[in-house]
Structure formats: C-alpha cells, structure tokens
Amino acid sequence: MSTKTAVFSFSGSDQKSKEILKEINLSSIKQINYNNSSSLIYTTNNNKGFQVKANKLQQILNGDNIINCFVDYGRCSVLTNNKFIILNREINLPEIGENDKFIKAIGNAKQTYFYLLTDLGKVFVMEQDEQTFKLDSQLNNLPFKIVDIQCGYSFTIVRCENGNCYGAGYNCYQNIGLDERTSDVKVYTLIERLKENVKQHTCGTFHTLYLTFDNEVYGCGYKVR
C-alpha cells in the first residue's frame, strides 16, 4: 500500500490554515497548482476544482469537468471539457478530431500567450487580446509529437516524445538553455546539449529545470549555478 503526502502553506493566520486543511481530502487530489502561498488551486479525482482565495476554500465551476488549471500571479485559468476560462473570459475550444482530446492548457506568466495541447500532440495558441485559439504553425511542424508544454515569464519550452526540447521567447538569462542571450528567440530551437534525453521539464519565472532519462537534473537561468 502506498501513502501519498501533501504539504500546503497558506498566508494568513495559522488557525485559518488549519481550517482550510481540514476541508481538503488529500487522498482525492489529482493535481496541485500554485504561484505563491495565497494562490493555490487543485483538482480532485472526480475532476472538481477548488482554490484558496482570501483564506477560504472555494469550488471552481461547480458542475464542469476540469481537465487542468493553473495559477500565475494570483490569477486562475481553467480548462474544462468544453471551454477555456481566463480572467472571467470564456473561450470556446477549437474543433479537433473525434479520436483526439485536449489534455492541457497553460500560459506564460506574462499572460501574452496561452496554449492548448491535445493527446495527439497538436498545439493551439491564442494571444492575450484574441478570442480564438489557432494552430501554432511552428510547433505543429516539429519532427516529433509534443507531449508537454511549460512556460516561464515570457518564454515557452515544449518536450517531444523522443526526449527533445525546443524553446522560444525570452532567453536573456539563458533560461531556456540556449547560449545566445536575447530577449526574443523567434524560432523554436532545439536544446542541443540535452538532445533526446529529457524525461520531464518545468519552468520558473526566469529559469528551467530538466530531468533526464538518467535521472540527472540540469538547471539554467537566473541565479542557477
């Protein structure tokens, strides 16, 4: 029998934190997202979503099946089975084939771009002021299927099923893992030194961590030594 443990930290009084923890059934948690101690959301095994707001636990979108959700700078974004919700805007999902489904939504922390990823590796993108998602021409022409997307403040890195990672956007701190320091990598570029070797990756504001198939962790970006 395996035991799952989760540790939460909330702003506010210790008493408030204890009251919130009493309401959380740890064994039912499927996904946790947080930006800081006062902005945490999670989904449960029955696809219900909850968030901590003003030191209170609130249910998100009662009645909708949540696929995933994420938090950045205290703002909650949610992907359900039929829409994407950001800053009280409801965006209809683009049409995809019957044998495909959406598995993830994510946006950069600057909130200039939002992405949708499907089970078959298709990527849709929407800019901040737009109302519809469209296929990302660069990402959908990569040679391998995309299995994950992670974003920092103003950069994006995708991981393919063969272990390749490609990045674009802000790289002044070499936070993508590319040698050239620039504020805008316009073309998604292969991280050569980790070619075909990345099992998982995650992005912070100005840094990235890569986990290889050899279970080694590589970091790059601001104050990474």
Side-chain angles (χ1 to χ4, degrees), residues 113-128:
Y113 290 93
F114 302 96
Y115 301 90
L116 297 176
L117 176 65
T118 77
D119 191 42
L120 295 181
K122 290 184 178 180
V123 178
F124 295 82
V125 63
M126 180 182 71
E127 294 187 32
Q128 184 180 37

Side-chain angles (χ1 to χ4, degrees), residues 156-159 163-168 171 174-179 185 188-198 201 208 210 218 220:
T156 303
I157 300 175
V158 301
R159 178 168 51 86
N164 280 350
C165 280
Y166 298 81
N171 192 54
Q174 296 178 310
N175 40 277
I176 293 175
L178 302 173
D179 291 332
V185 178
Y188 280 90
T189 304
L190 175 67
I191 315 302
E192 288 280 358
R193 66 193 67 186
L194 294 175
K195 185 177 181 180
E196 298 181 354
N197 197 27
V198 179
H201 75 294
T208 303
Y210 295 98
Y218 291 82
C220 54

Side-chain angles (χ1 to χ4, degrees), residues 83-98:
K83 58 182 174 275
F84 174 70
I85 302 171
I86 174 66
L87 295 177
N88 297 320
R89 294 164 53 203
E90 293 191 4
I91 309 296
N92 292 326
L93 301 182
E95 292 186 6
I96 54 177
E98 293 182 1

Side-chain angles (χ1 to χ4, degrees), residues 11-98:
S11 65
S13 69
D14 289 340
Q15 184 60 37
K16 282 288 185 181
S17 299
K18 291 177 181 178
E19 290 174 4
I20 292 172
L21 284 171
K22 286 179 181 178
E23 297 182 55
I24 296 177
N25 180 359
L26 299 183
S27 64
S28 71
I29 293 176
K30 181 173 69 174
Q31 178 192 25
I32 300 173
N33 291 274
Y34 64 93
N35 175 261
N36 54 48
S37 59
S38 61
S39 303
L40 178 144
I41 57 178
Y42 71 94
T43 53
T44 63
N45 290 326
N46 63 354
N47 295 323
K48 301 299 181 184
F50 299 85
Q51 72 177 128
V52 177
K53 190 173 183 180
N55 284 317
K56 293 182 179 179
L57 194 65
Q58 301 176 356
Q59 187 165 350
I60 304 171
L61 302 175
N62 186 20
D64 278 343
N65 285 326
I66 295 175
I67 297 173
N68 88 295
C69 43
F70 60 94
V71 173
D72 56 83
Y73 290 86
R75 295 167 294 196
C76 175
S77 304
V78 180
L79 173 65
T80 76
N81 52 346
N82 57 22
K83 58 182 174 275
F84 174 70
I85 302 171
I86 174 66
L87 295 177
N88 297 320
R89 294 164 53 203
E90 293 191 4
I91 309 296
N92 292 326
L93 301 182
E95 292 186 6
I96 54 177
E98 293 182 1

